[in-house]
Amino acid sequence: MSTRRRFRILRRPRRPMPLRIALFGLVLMGTPTVPGCHHMLPGALGGHAPERPPAEAFGLGPRSSDAGLYRVTLEPGSPLRPRETRTVQVRVRTPSGDPVSEAPISVDGGMPEHGHGLPTRPRAVPNGAPGTYDVQGLRFNMGGWWELRLVIEGPEGTDSLTFNLDL
Ligand SMILES: [Cu+2]
C-alpha cells in the first residue's frame, strides 16, 4: 500500500457534528418513554399531560359518587398489583348506609398520563351479599396512576365516580 493511499483512508470524511446530534435526537424521539405502554397517544409525549390528583383523591374509598348519591368502596382483598387479572369486590351504599343491591354498574378506566384505557373489559355483577358486587376481569397492565370509573344506575338515580389508584 502506498503512503498516498493510506493517507486517503485516514482522511475518510466523518459526518459533521451537528448532523450526528440531529440523528441522535431523532432516535430518542422515536423511543417511547414508558416501557410496556403500547397505546400511547402522540399527545402524551407533548407538554399537556393531565395533572395527577392530590394524594387524598387516591385510594380504595369509601368515596362519594360525583353527585353524592352513593358511597362506594373497593375491596380487593389483597393489594392491587400490575399485570394481575383480578376479581375485586365493590360495596355500594346510600349516604345513610343502606346497601344498594342489584344496580347495573358499568366499569371503565385507564391511564390519563398515557392516554390509554383498560386492557380488559371488566364486568360488575351482584355477588349475592347485599350491596356487594364482583368486578370480574380487572387488569392493570403496567404500574402508575390509573383511573377506575364506575357508573351506578341505582334506585337513587344514575351517578358516577372515579377511583384513582397508584399501582
Ligand atoms: Cu400506560
Side-chain angles (χ1 to χ4, degrees):
M1 191 188 283
S2 73
T3 318
R4 189 187 167 91
R5 185 174 167 80
R6 202 183 310 145
F7 181 70
R8 271 175 52 196
I9 289 168
L10 284 172
R11 293 233 358 213
R12 196 175 44 154
R14 286 167 61 98
R15 286 194 178 107
M17 197 61 179
L19 179 59
R20 285 161 65 209
I21 289 169
L23 285 174
F24 183 61
L26 278 177
V27 169
L28 280 184
M29 281 169 61
T31 307
T33 53
V34 184
C37 187
H38 304 296
H39 308 276
M40 284 181 51
L41 296 176
L45 284 173
H48 297 287
E51 207 161 299
R52 194 184 167 95
E56 60 266 24
F58 281 78
L60 303 174
R63 296 194 71 77
S64 279
S65 55
D66 296 336
L69 300 184
Y70 305 107
R71 297 274 294 166
V72 186
T73 313
L74 297 180
E75 298 182 334
S78 63
L80 294 168
R81 295 186 208 288
R83 294 172 290 278
E84 287 179 358
T85 304
R86 299 275 295 270
T87 294
V88 173
Q89 272 192 22
V90 177
R91 240 158 32 102
V92 184
R93 300 283 184 267
T94 63
S96 54
D98 297 324
V100 176
S101 299
E102 306 290 330
I105 298 178
S106 59
V107 183
D108 192 9
M111 299 188 85
E113 291 169 315
H114 299 173
H116 64 75
L118 293 169
T120 59
R121 293 190 180 179
R123 284 181 352 123
V125 295
N127 78 354
T132 309
Y133 303 78
D134 284 340
V135 176
Q136 302 169 340
L138 186 59
R139 183 177 178 85
F140 304 100
N141 53 320
M142 68 190 73
W145 166 33
W146 285 88
E147 284 183 347
L148 185 66
R149 293 184 288 273
L150 305 182
V151 179
I152 300 162
E153 298 172 66
E156 317 286 316
T158 298
D159 204 356
S160 57
L161 80 160
T162 302
F163 288 94
N164 289 286
L165 304 171
D166 198 0
L167 268 75

